[in-house]
Amino acid sequence: MPTITLVGLAATAVKESRDRVHAALANSGFAIPPRRITVNLQPGDLPKTGTAFDLPIALALLAASGQLPPDVLQHTCAVGELGLDGQLRSVRGVLAVARHVAATSDALLIVPPDNLAEALRVPSARAMAPRTLIELVAALRDGSARSDARPQRTDAPHGDTPDLGDVVGQSLAVRALEIAAAGSHNLLLVGPPGAGKTMLARRLPGILPPLDEQEALEVLAIHSVAGLLGPEQVPTSATPARPFRAPHHSISTAGLVGGGGWPRPGEVSLAHRGVLFLDELSLFPRHTLESLRQPLEDGVVVVARAARAVRFPSRFALIAASNPCPCGYAGCDDRHCRCSVADLERHRARLSGPLADRIDLHVHVQRVPPSDLATHTPQERSAEVRARVIAARERQRARYAHTAGTHGIGISIRVGRVYGAITARASAARRAAACRLTQARASWAVRPAVPVGGRCQRGPIRRTVGTAAHATGPRVVAGRRGGGALMG
């Protein structure tokens, strides 16, 4: 009986490939040499995991035993899991593999049929997807192995994205969304239940600029590595929609920023180039929220383990929503707050000062009166707002054209002073907004007044974008990271 030994720090899933490959070869009619076979997965000090090694191991065995000419594998790269009957099954991370292969060689990439769409999403990639091992070997033997046809790109709009035109009232919050989209600012919406915080946050992706080709490949590669990119999830649009992630407040720290024994991307990386929405912010564990500080600052997450460290990109727009107090009605116009001062203090303590400092815009929203709901005045559609956001981003790109690709997002103070000089009036407005934000740090939602009759009466509301939202003429809102957006 043949014995197959795998060396090179193979994980359990890789070691089990011995049985899968043995059964696939036997059931496909290929002979297995009756000797001891050693498969070396180099480099030997790099851990290997997953089932993508099945197909290359099977092809190597066929070439070593003389059942497949070795020359036909000279310009070929293969990934895929093998079923016991020899069928090719999908694996994670094919798009990342296709990007590397296309960038380093002109090799033909052999992938399972369910992974063909993501492999061909890379513009210069050549890929084919045989259904079985028998079909693949036959194509390699007769020289008919060719890249499959690339699917046709479409320019169809994303009709399932919620539209800002459906919003009634909330002009200040809508304006804050536009400023956040134009300047890549983080935004916190605070208000009572029913104010529309979640509805507003879900409309932010509809006003963001479309992804360019490089950004789309970054986003799709992360989702491919996470195993979230099936055949139906691969966009055929030339400008795919930006990701929108809204994890539940019970999520773990590893689920939010990434982790695990074999590190996998978390929600902050799955929201790369898109929106991370944290609804009911005060219900998230504080230590989980604190893990956001480095991704918000650096735009990357480094998951370190004893044997290795993995670096995931995480440049996203953070949108958070929270009630102002445990009962939800502190500062509400039509209901009294029932919370004690101690309740409010504990509620505010869920968000630390350093994390609140990384959220550029804090906006308080009120519930829309029923009379306004009955007399709905149509708002601007998302397409109109998106046009202004794109124009603002283009001005940023032109302003910082001589910098290293920052386009005004996360620029340094020195670069900002050279290329982003602002008027005296705008500078005064920025100082006033910064002063109000400093005053609001101690109480990030609503400052409680002295309880009267067992109820906490309404305190002053912080609207850190109020000055910019209601000023006339051009306005500049500069966040903590220095990426200001000029809104004409």
Side-chain angles (χ1 to χ4, degrees):
M1 290 293 293
T3 301
I4 301 177
T5 302
L6 296 177
V7 297
L9 290 184
T12 302
V14 181
K15 291 178 179 179
E16 291 176 348
S17 67
R18 295 174 298 188
D19 301 320
R20 291 192 298 270
V21 170
H22 185 282
L25 290 174
N27 293 328
S28 299
F30 298 107
I32 303 175
R35 63 172 71 102
R36 183 181 181 87
I37 301 171
T38 300
V39 178
N40 180 27
L41 303 176
Q42 61 180 9
D45 60 345
L46 181 66
K48 284 74 173 188
T49 185
T51 58
F53 296 96
D54 290 5
L55 182 58
I57 290 175
L59 293 176
L61 289 177
L62 291 175
S65 61
Q67 301 176 76
L68 184 66
D71 294 343
V72 301
L73 300 177
Q74 288 295 326
H75 299 284
T76 302
C77 178
V79 292
E81 177 183 343
L82 284 176
L84 301 183
D85 57 353
Q87 289 190 350
L88 273 64
R89 298 180 177 176
S90 63
V91 294
R92 296 187 291 115
V94 169
L95 193 143
V97 174
R99 292 183 68 189
H100 177 74
V101 171
T104 57
S105 68
D106 61 346
L108 176 65
L109 179 62
I110 302 172
V111 299
D114 288 345
N115 294 124
L116 179 62
E118 59 179 295
L120 292 179
R121 193 63 176 76
V122 180
S124 56
R126 299 170 55 242
M128 67 172 293
R131 292 173 298 175
T132 64
L133 183 60
I134 296 177
E135 180 182 337
L136 171 60
V137 173
L140 291 173
R141 283 173 173 172
D142 60 20
S144 62
R146 298 287 186 275
S147 177
D148 290 335
R150 197 174 301 275
Q152 186 68 30
R153 296 283 184 88
T154 63
D155 294 324
H158 309 292
D160 56 344
T161 304
D163 198 282
L164 273 179
D166 303 330
V167 178
V168 179
Q170 305 295 7
S171 59
L172 177 64
V174 171
R175 178 62 176 168
L177 284 177
E178 182 177 350
I179 294 173
S184 293
H185 299 298
N186 302 316
L187 172 64
L188 172 62
L189 299 173
V190 181
K197 304 182 295 294
T198 301
M199 176 189 66
L200 288 165
R202 291 187 179 278
R203 279 152 177 78
L204 179 61
I207 64 175
L208 290 173
L211 292 169
D212 59 32
E213 185 64 27
Q214 185 62 30
E215 291 175 339
L217 289 178
E218 290 179 9
V219 171
L220 295 175
I222 296 172
H223 285 242
S224 176
V225 170
L228 303 178
L229 201 63
E232 62 279 357
Q233 281 83 32
V234 179
T236 58
S237 172
T239 56
R242 291 181 179 268
F244 181 89
R245 306 293 298 183
H248 191 259
H249 58 76
S250 61
I251 190 173
S252 65
T253 302
L256 185 61
V257 299
W262 299 95
R264 297 181 64 178
E267 291 292 331
V268 297
S269 297
L270 296 176
H272 181 61
R273 303 292 184 185
V275 178
L276 176 65
F277 176 46
L278 300 184
D279 201 3
E280 304 296 345
L281 183 69
S282 60
L283 298 182
F284 283 79
R286 176 160 176 164
H287 67 276
T288 300
L289 291 178
E290 290 302 301
S291 65
L292 291 173
R293 288 163 60 174
Q294 188 221 353
L296 288 173
E297 189 74 18
D298 300 334
V300 295
V301 172
V302 179
V303 181
R305 294 293 180 265
R308 60 198 173 279
V310 181
R311 185 174 181 268
F312 295 117
S314 59
R315 191 166 296 281
F316 56 91
L318 174 64
I319 306 296
S322 177
N323 294 329
C325 66
C327 79
Y329 296 103
C332 187
D333 289 335
D334 53 359
R335 292 188 63 172
H336 291 293
C337 175
R338 302 187 303 271
C339 303
S340 65
V341 174
D343 292 335
L344 291 171
E345 291 292 342
R346 285 193 297 270
H347 186 77
R348 290 197 306 272
R350 304 302 292 268
L351 184 66
S352 67
L355 182 57
D357 189 52
R358 287 167 169 80
I359 302 178
D360 307 313
L361 308 178
H362 296 208
V363 181
H364 196 285
V365 294
Q366 290 287 353
R367 292 194 291 187
V368 179
S371 58
D372 292 349
L373 293 174
T375 59
H376 172 38
T377 302
Q379 297 256 15
E380 284 185 304
R381 310 296 295 184
S382 292
E384 301 172 13
V385 180
R386 188 192 308 117
R388 292 199 298 269
V389 170
I390 294 175
R393 294 271 184 117
E394 290 299 326
R395 286 195 290 271
Q396 290 179 358
R397 189 169 284 105
R399 184 185 306 144
Y400 303 107
H402 300 288
T403 62
T406 61
H407 305 315
I409 308 302
I411 61 171
S412 65
I413 295 177
R414 180 185 60 82
V415 174
R417 286 175 177 171
V418 174
Y419 295 100
I422 59 177
T423 64
R425 180 184 176 188
S427 179
R430 183 174 63 179
R431 287 195 300 271
C435 181
R436 300 173 84 177
L437 178 59
T438 302
Q439 295 171 356
R441 272 179 198 153
S443 54
W444 58 274
V446 176
R447 184 179 66 189
V450 178
V452 178
R455 293 180 176 177
C456 183
Q457 300 301 307
R458 189 178 166 199
I461 297 172
R462 274 66 168 164
R463 295 184 178 180
T464 60
V465 297
T467 302
H470 293 97
T472 58
R475 296 175 289 279
V476 174
V477 175
R480 178 181 183 276
R481 294 164 293 156
L486 178 61
M487 307 298 296

